[in-house]
Protein backbone atom coordinates (compact mmCIF):
# COMPACT_ATOMS: atom_id res chain seq x y z
CA UNK A 1 0.00 0.00 0.00
CA UNK A 2 2.92 2.34 0.70
CA UNK A 3 3.99 2.03 -2.94
CA UNK A 4 0.48 2.98 -4.05
CA UNK A 5 0.39 5.99 -1.74
CA UNK A 6 3.83 7.20 -2.80
CA UNK A 7 2.91 6.96 -6.48
CA UNK A 8 -0.45 8.67 -5.93
CA UNK A 9 1.38 11.35 -3.94
CA UNK A 10 3.87 11.85 -6.77
CA UNK A 11 1.04 12.23 -9.30
CA UNK A 12 -0.85 14.72 -7.14
CA UNK A 13 2.31 16.65 -6.36
CA UNK A 14 3.03 16.92 -10.09
CA UNK A 15 -0.53 18.04 -10.86
CA UNK A 16 -0.40 20.54 -8.00
CA UNK A 17 2.40 22.29 -9.89
CA UNK A 18 0.33 22.51 -13.10
CA UNK A 19 -1.31 25.94 -13.21
CA UNK A 20 -3.07 27.00 -16.39
CA UNK A 21 -2.23 30.46 -17.71
CA UNK A 22 -5.94 30.93 -18.51
CA UNK A 23 -7.89 32.28 -15.49
CA UNK A 24 -11.05 30.57 -16.78
CA UNK A 25 -9.31 27.18 -16.66
CA UNK A 26 -8.05 27.88 -13.15
CA UNK A 27 -11.63 28.50 -12.08
CA UNK A 28 -12.73 25.26 -13.74
CA UNK A 29 -10.12 23.36 -11.74
CA UNK A 30 -11.18 25.12 -8.57
CA UNK A 31 -14.84 24.33 -9.32
CA UNK A 32 -13.97 20.62 -9.54
CA UNK A 33 -12.01 20.77 -6.28
CA UNK A 34 -14.96 22.38 -4.52
CA UNK A 35 -17.38 19.76 -5.80
CA UNK A 36 -14.99 16.87 -5.09
CA UNK A 37 -13.64 17.77 -1.65
CA UNK A 38 -15.85 20.61 -0.42
CA UNK A 39 -18.41 20.58 2.34
CA UNK A 40 -21.09 23.28 2.63
CA UNK A 41 -22.65 24.27 5.93
CA UNK A 42 -25.61 26.57 6.49
CA UNK A 43 -24.92 28.98 9.33
CA UNK A 44 -26.90 31.75 11.02
CA UNK A 45 -28.82 34.13 8.79
CA UNK A 46 -29.09 31.56 5.99
CA UNK A 47 -25.50 32.11 4.92
CA UNK A 48 -23.07 29.45 3.68
CA UNK A 49 -19.74 28.37 5.15
CA UNK A 50 -17.34 26.24 3.13
CA UNK A 51 -14.59 23.81 4.07
CA UNK A 52 -12.23 21.93 1.75
CA UNK A 53 -10.36 18.84 2.96
CA UNK A 54 -7.35 17.10 1.46
CA UNK A 55 -4.59 14.75 2.61
CA UNK A 56 -2.05 16.33 0.30
CA UNK A 57 -0.10 19.45 1.24
CA UNK A 58 0.66 20.56 -2.35
CA UNK A 59 -3.04 20.31 -3.21
CA UNK A 60 -3.99 22.44 -0.20
CA UNK A 61 -1.46 25.11 -1.18
CA UNK A 62 -2.74 25.13 -4.76
CA UNK A 63 -6.35 25.58 -3.62
CA UNK A 64 -5.41 28.49 -1.38
CA UNK A 65 -3.41 30.08 -4.21
CA UNK A 66 -6.28 29.85 -6.72
CA UNK A 67 -8.93 31.06 -4.28
CA UNK A 68 -6.89 34.11 -3.30
CA UNK A 69 -6.02 34.84 -6.94
CA UNK A 70 -9.65 35.10 -8.07
CA UNK A 71 -11.84 35.83 -5.06
CA UNK A 72 -11.84 38.19 -2.08
CA UNK A 73 -12.58 35.39 0.34
CA UNK A 74 -10.82 34.91 3.65
CA UNK A 75 -9.33 31.42 3.98
CA UNK A 76 -7.84 29.80 7.08
CA UNK A 77 -5.95 26.49 7.03
CA UNK A 78 -6.11 23.88 9.78
CA UNK A 79 -3.60 21.02 9.77
CA UNK A 80 -4.38 17.91 11.81
CA UNK A 81 -2.68 14.55 12.20
CA UNK A 82 -4.66 11.42 11.48
CA UNK A 83 -5.19 9.19 14.48
CA UNK A 84 -2.64 6.33 14.81
CA UNK A 85 -0.71 7.55 11.76
CA UNK A 86 2.53 9.41 12.29
CA UNK A 87 3.12 10.94 8.89
CA UNK A 88 -0.32 11.40 7.37
CA UNK A 89 -1.73 14.88 7.81
CA UNK A 90 -5.11 16.34 6.88
CA UNK A 91 -5.43 19.90 5.59
CA UNK A 92 -8.75 21.70 6.06
CA UNK A 93 -9.38 25.03 4.31
CA UNK A 94 -12.10 26.96 6.11
CA UNK A 95 -14.13 29.84 4.71
CA UNK A 96 -16.70 31.18 7.12
CA UNK A 97 -19.85 33.08 6.21
CA UNK A 98 -18.82 36.28 4.39
CA UNK A 99 -20.25 38.48 1.64
CA UNK A 100 -17.93 37.30 -1.13
CA UNK A 101 -18.37 33.56 -0.52
CA UNK A 102 -21.82 33.04 -2.07
CA UNK A 103 -20.90 34.79 -5.36
CA UNK A 104 -17.86 32.50 -5.58
CA UNK A 105 -20.00 29.41 -4.98
CA UNK A 106 -22.49 30.55 -7.62
CA UNK A 107 -19.79 31.22 -10.24
CA UNK A 108 -18.18 27.82 -9.58
CA UNK A 109 -21.46 25.93 -9.97
CA UNK A 110 -22.06 24.98 -6.35
CA UNK A 111 -25.18 27.13 -5.94
CA UNK A 112 -27.68 28.59 -8.39
CA UNK A 113 -29.02 32.11 -8.84
CA UNK A 114 -31.49 31.49 -6.02
CA UNK A 115 -28.65 30.66 -3.61
CA UNK A 116 -29.68 27.00 -3.50
CA UNK A 117 -27.21 24.11 -3.63
CA UNK A 118 -27.23 22.19 -6.91
CA UNK A 119 -26.11 18.60 -7.62
CA UNK A 120 -24.50 19.55 -10.90
CA UNK A 121 -23.98 22.64 -13.06
CA UNK A 122 -22.97 22.87 -16.71
CA UNK A 123 -20.27 25.51 -16.45
CA UNK A 124 -19.33 27.58 -19.54
CA UNK A 125 -15.78 26.20 -19.38
CA UNK A 126 -16.99 22.72 -20.40
CA UNK A 127 -17.30 24.03 -23.97
CA UNK A 128 -13.50 24.30 -24.20
CA UNK A 129 -11.07 21.39 -24.13
CA UNK A 130 -8.78 23.29 -21.77
CA UNK A 131 -11.68 23.75 -19.37
CA UNK A 132 -12.57 20.06 -19.45
CA UNK A 133 -8.94 19.05 -18.84
CA UNK A 134 -8.71 21.48 -15.93
CA UNK A 135 -11.95 20.16 -14.42
CA UNK A 136 -10.75 16.56 -14.62
CA UNK A 137 -7.43 17.57 -13.10
CA UNK A 138 -9.22 19.28 -10.21
CA UNK A 139 -11.49 16.32 -9.61
CA UNK A 140 -8.54 13.93 -9.51
CA UNK A 141 -6.74 16.22 -7.07
CA UNK A 142 -9.88 16.24 -4.94
CA UNK A 143 -10.92 12.58 -4.81
CA UNK A 144 -8.72 10.70 -7.26
CA UNK A 145 -6.55 7.69 -6.50
CA UNK A 146 -4.10 5.71 -8.61
CA UNK A 147 -2.22 2.52 -7.79
CA UNK A 148 1.49 2.13 -8.48
CA UNK A 149 1.81 0.63 -11.98
CA UNK A 150 4.23 -2.02 -10.72
CA UNK A 151 1.47 -3.42 -8.50
CA UNK A 152 -1.74 -3.13 -10.52
CA UNK A 153 -3.57 -1.00 -13.08
CA UNK A 154 -6.20 0.97 -11.21
CA UNK A 155 -7.33 4.61 -11.22
CA UNK A 156 -10.51 5.92 -9.64
CA UNK A 157 -12.53 9.07 -9.02
CA UNK A 158 -15.06 9.17 -6.16
CA UNK A 159 -18.03 11.26 -7.29
CA UNK A 160 -20.98 12.46 -5.20
CA UNK A 161 -24.25 12.16 -7.12
CA UNK A 162 -25.32 10.22 -10.18
CA UNK A 163 -25.71 13.31 -12.33
CA UNK A 164 -22.12 14.37 -11.68
CA UNK A 165 -20.88 10.82 -12.32
CA UNK A 166 -22.70 10.70 -15.67
CA UNK A 167 -21.33 14.09 -16.68
CA UNK A 168 -17.74 13.19 -15.81
CA UNK A 169 -18.12 9.87 -17.58
CA UNK A 170 -19.28 11.69 -20.71
CA UNK A 171 -16.34 14.09 -20.57
CA UNK A 172 -13.89 11.19 -20.31
CA UNK A 173 -15.67 9.34 -23.12
CA UNK A 174 -15.28 12.40 -25.36
CA UNK A 175 -11.52 12.06 -24.88
CA UNK A 176 -11.48 8.36 -25.73
CA UNK A 177 -11.47 7.10 -22.14
CA UNK A 178 -14.47 4.85 -21.40
CA UNK A 179 -14.78 4.45 -17.62
CA UNK A 180 -16.56 1.87 -15.50
CA UNK A 181 -18.98 2.75 -12.71
CA UNK A 182 -19.47 1.16 -9.30
CA UNK A 183 -20.69 2.25 -5.87
CA UNK A 184 -18.80 2.64 -2.61
CA UNK A 185 -20.62 3.80 0.50
CA UNK A 186 -22.28 7.08 -0.48
CA UNK A 187 -20.14 7.71 -3.58
CA UNK A 188 -20.25 6.72 -7.22
CA UNK A 189 -16.88 5.37 -8.29
CA UNK A 190 -15.57 5.99 -11.80
CA UNK A 191 -12.60 3.71 -12.37
CA UNK A 192 -10.16 2.50 -15.00
CA UNK A 193 -8.42 -0.89 -15.11
CA UNK A 194 -6.65 -0.78 -18.48
CA UNK A 195 -3.08 0.51 -18.53
CA UNK A 196 -3.53 2.30 -21.85
CA UNK A 197 -6.61 4.19 -20.63
CA UNK A 198 -4.91 5.18 -17.36
CA UNK A 199 -1.92 6.48 -19.29
CA UNK A 200 -4.24 8.49 -21.53
CA UNK A 201 -5.93 10.01 -18.47
CA UNK A 202 -2.59 11.01 -16.92
CA UNK A 203 -1.55 12.71 -20.15
CA UNK A 204 -4.95 14.41 -20.46
CA UNK A 205 -4.81 16.06 -17.03
CA UNK A 206 -1.15 17.10 -17.42
CA UNK A 207 0.72 14.49 -15.32
CA UNK A 208 3.35 13.96 -18.02
CA UNK A 209 6.13 12.63 -15.75
CA UNK A 210 3.74 10.11 -14.22
CA UNK A 211 2.53 9.19 -17.71
CA UNK A 212 6.08 8.44 -18.86
CA UNK A 213 6.76 6.28 -15.80
CA UNK A 214 3.45 4.49 -16.31
CA UNK A 215 4.26 3.81 -19.94
CA UNK A 216 7.74 2.50 -19.04
CA UNK A 217 6.29 0.04 -16.56
CA UNK A 218 3.48 -0.94 -18.94
CA UNK A 219 5.89 -1.68 -21.80
CA UNK A 220 8.19 -3.75 -19.56
CA UNK A 221 5.19 -5.71 -18.24
CA UNK A 222 3.91 -6.35 -21.75
CA UNK A 223 7.34 -7.53 -22.88
CA UNK A 224 7.57 -9.91 -19.91
CA UNK A 225 4.09 -11.24 -20.62
CA UNK A 226 4.97 -11.70 -24.30
CA UNK A 227 8.16 -13.59 -23.45
CA UNK A 228 6.25 -15.77 -20.96
CA UNK A 229 3.59 -16.56 -23.55
CA UNK A 230 6.24 -17.46 -26.11
CA UNK A 231 8.10 -19.67 -23.64
CA UNK A 232 4.87 -21.38 -22.62
CA UNK A 233 3.92 -21.94 -26.27
CA UNK A 234 7.35 -23.34 -27.10
CA UNK A 235 7.22 -25.58 -24.03
CA UNK A 236 3.78 -26.84 -25.02
CA UNK A 237 4.92 -27.46 -28.59
CA UNK A 238 8.02 -29.28 -27.37
CA UNK A 239 5.90 -31.40 -25.07
CA UNK A 240 3.59 -32.31 -27.97
CA UNK A 241 6.59 -33.14 -30.17
CA UNK A 242 8.10 -35.40 -27.48
CA UNK A 243 4.79 -37.18 -26.93
CA UNK A 244 4.24 -37.65 -30.67
CA UNK A 245 7.79 -38.95 -31.12
CA UNK A 246 7.40 -41.46 -28.28
CA UNK A 247 4.15 -42.70 -29.81
CA UNK A 248 5.77 -43.05 -33.23
CA UNK A 249 8.72 -45.00 -31.83
CA UNK A 250 6.36 -47.37 -30.03
CA UNK A 251 4.29 -48.03 -33.16
CA UNK A 252 7.29 -48.38 -35.48
CA UNK A 253 8.93 -50.89 -33.14
CA UNK A 254 5.69 -52.87 -33.27
CA UNK A 255 5.84 -52.82 -37.09
CA UNK A 256 9.35 -54.18 -36.96
CA UNK A 257 8.46 -56.95 -34.50
CA UNK A 258 5.48 -58.13 -36.55
CA UNK A 259 7.37 -58.04 -39.85
CA UNK A 260 4.78 -55.68 -41.37
CA UNK A 261 7.56 -53.27 -42.26
CA UNK A 262 8.53 -55.54 -45.19
CA UNK A 263 5.28 -54.59 -46.94
CA UNK A 264 6.05 -50.87 -46.89
CA UNK A 265 7.67 -48.71 -49.55
CA UNK A 266 11.39 -47.88 -49.25
CA UNK A 267 10.52 -44.24 -48.48
CA UNK A 268 8.36 -45.24 -45.51
CA UNK A 269 10.92 -47.75 -44.27
CA UNK A 270 13.58 -45.02 -44.42
CA UNK A 271 11.41 -42.75 -42.26
CA UNK A 272 10.83 -45.56 -39.74
CA UNK A 273 14.57 -46.17 -39.42
CA UNK A 274 15.33 -42.49 -39.06
CA UNK A 275 12.72 -42.04 -36.35
CA UNK A 276 14.05 -45.01 -34.37
CA UNK A 277 17.63 -43.69 -34.67
CA UNK A 278 16.65 -40.08 -33.86
CA UNK A 279 13.69 -40.16 -31.42
CA UNK A 280 14.20 -36.51 -30.40
CA UNK A 281 14.41 -35.06 -33.92
CA UNK A 282 11.63 -32.89 -35.35
CA UNK A 283 9.87 -33.86 -38.57
CA UNK A 284 11.76 -31.11 -40.36
CA UNK A 285 15.07 -32.57 -39.17
CA UNK A 286 13.99 -36.06 -40.22
CA UNK A 287 13.17 -34.75 -43.68
CA UNK A 288 16.65 -33.24 -43.95
CA UNK A 289 18.19 -36.62 -43.03
CA UNK A 290 16.36 -38.42 -45.82
CA UNK A 291 18.23 -39.38 -49.00
CA UNK A 292 17.48 -37.31 -50.94
CA UNK A 293 16.20 -34.68 -48.44
CA UNK A 294 12.42 -34.27 -48.23
CA UNK A 295 10.57 -31.00 -47.59
CA UNK A 296 8.20 -30.31 -44.74
CA UNK A 297 5.01 -31.17 -46.59
CA UNK A 298 6.55 -34.37 -48.00
CA UNK A 299 7.76 -35.65 -44.64
CA UNK A 300 4.40 -34.78 -43.05
CA UNK A 301 2.64 -36.78 -45.75
CA UNK A 302 4.87 -39.82 -45.18
CA UNK A 303 4.40 -39.68 -41.42
CA UNK A 304 0.61 -39.48 -41.77
CA UNK A 305 0.71 -42.54 -44.05
CA UNK A 306 2.70 -44.48 -41.49
CA UNK A 307 0.44 -43.48 -38.62
CA UNK A 308 -2.67 -44.55 -40.54
CA UNK A 309 -1.07 -47.93 -41.26
CA UNK A 310 -0.04 -48.39 -37.63
CA UNK A 311 -3.39 -47.33 -36.24
CA UNK A 312 -5.22 -49.69 -38.62
CA UNK A 313 -3.23 -52.57 -37.14
CA UNK A 314 -4.09 -51.73 -33.52
CA UNK A 315 -6.79 -53.91 -31.92
Amino acid sequence: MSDDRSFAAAVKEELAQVLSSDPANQKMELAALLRASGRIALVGGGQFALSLTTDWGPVARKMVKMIRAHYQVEVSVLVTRKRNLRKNLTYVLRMGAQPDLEPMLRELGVTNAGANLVDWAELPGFAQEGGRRAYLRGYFLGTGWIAAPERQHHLELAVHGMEAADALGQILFQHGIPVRLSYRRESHLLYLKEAEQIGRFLALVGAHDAYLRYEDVRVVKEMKNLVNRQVNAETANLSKTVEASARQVELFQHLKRTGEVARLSPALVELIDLRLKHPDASLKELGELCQPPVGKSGINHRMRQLMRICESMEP
Side-chain angles (χ1 to χ4, degrees):
M1 183 62 68
S2 59
D3 290 342
D4 290 342
R5 181 173 176 84
S6 62
F7 182 68
V11 175
K12 293 203 173 188
E13 185 171 353
E14 180 183 358
L15 290 178
Q17 307 306 316
V18 177
L19 190 64
S20 173
S21 59
D22 187 341
N25 290 344
Q26 292 184 27
K27 290 182 179 181
M28 287 294 290
E29 185 171 346
L30 186 56
L33 280 161
L34 261 64
R35 187 163 291 279
S37 58
R39 186 178 296 274
I40 301 291
L42 194 62
V43 294
Q47 292 182 300
F48 291 119
L50 171 66
S51 63
L52 297 168
T53 304
T54 180
D55 293 338
W56 316 94
V59 177
R61 289 190 290 271
K62 184 176 189 178
M63 286 193 290
V64 172
K65 183 177 181 179
M66 290 192 297
I67 291 172
R68 290 177 175 170
H70 300 289
Y71 301 100
Q72 302 299 316
V73 176
E74 293 184 7
V75 185
S76 62
V77 181
L78 175 67
V79 182
T80 61
R81 192 179 301 277
K82 287 187 176 180
R83 185 179 300 176
N84 299 328
L85 293 174
R86 288 187 175 182
K87 296 182 180 179
N88 292 353
L89 301 176
T90 298
Y91 303 82
V92 182
L93 280 62
R94 291 178 172 176
M95 285 152 276
Q98 49 193 294
D100 293 319
L101 180 59
E102 204 285 321
M104 181 186 84
L105 296 176
R106 184 169 61 252
E107 183 178 14
L108 297 180
V110 178
T111 61
N112 59 20
N116 297 311
L117 295 176
V118 294
D119 293 333
W120 179 253
E122 282 293 330
L123 298 173
F126 285 126
Q128 305 297 326
E129 181 176 348
R132 294 192 296 270
R133 287 172 178 258
Y135 199 88
L136 291 172
R137 180 165 57 249
Y139 226 102
F140 182 82
L141 285 173
T143 65
W145 177 261
I146 184 170
E150 296 86 354
R151 292 168 58 86
Q152 62 175 324
H153 299 312
H154 185 87
L155 182 148
E156 65 183 42
L157 297 172
V159 184
H160 301 292
M162 192 64 205
E163 190 176 358
D166 285 341
L168 285 175
Q170 286 297 320
I171 294 172
L172 288 166
F173 186 78
Q174 290 172 9
H175 289 87
I177 306 175
V179 293
R180 304 176 187 179
L181 176 65
S182 66
Y183 303 93
R184 179 187 295 167
R185 298 173 187 168
E186 298 178 356
S187 297
H188 298 76
L189 204 65
L190 299 177
Y191 67 96
L192 300 170
K193 286 287 191 181
E194 292 77 22
E196 182 179 354
Q197 303 297 341
I198 294 174
R200 187 174 298 176
F201 178 91
L202 292 173
L204 181 67
V205 297
H208 300 297
D209 290 345
Y211 166 73
L212 292 176
R213 175 183 166 185
Y214 211 93
E215 284 298 289
D216 287 343
V217 173
R218 183 177 71 86
V219 169
V220 170
K221 274 188 174 182
E222 288 185 353
M223 289 300 297
K224 286 182 178 179
N225 291 338
L226 177 61
V227 170
N228 288 337
R229 287 195 297 270
Q230 290 176 337
V231 169
N232 291 338
E234 291 174 1
T235 301
N237 290 335
L238 180 60
S239 177
K240 290 180 181 178
T241 299
V242 170
E243 292 176 2
S245 175
R247 175 66 171 160
Q248 292 160 9
V249 168
E250 180 185 3
L251 293 174
F252 295 169
Q253 287 174 340
H254 178 69
L255 282 178
K256 288 247 183 194
R257 286 195 301 269
T258 59
E260 293 293 331
V261 71
R263 299 169 53 188
L264 304 179
S265 67
L268 296 183
V269 173
E270 180 186 34
L271 180 54
I272 290 174
D273 292 338
L274 287 173
R275 170 52 80 203
L276 295 177
K277 290 180 183 178
H278 306 281
D280 297 330
S282 65
L283 284 180
K284 180 182 178 182
E285 292 169 338
L286 292 179
E288 293 171 351
L289 292 172
C290 290
Q291 296 298 327
V294 180
K296 185 177 180 179
S297 60
I299 202 71
N300 279 331
H301 177 69
R302 292 184 187 183
M303 184 60 75
R304 284 195 295 270
Q305 280 186 292
L306 279 174
M307 296 305 292
R308 282 197 296 268
I309 294 171
C310 294
E311 289 166 0
S312 68
M313 295 173 57
E314 287 187 298

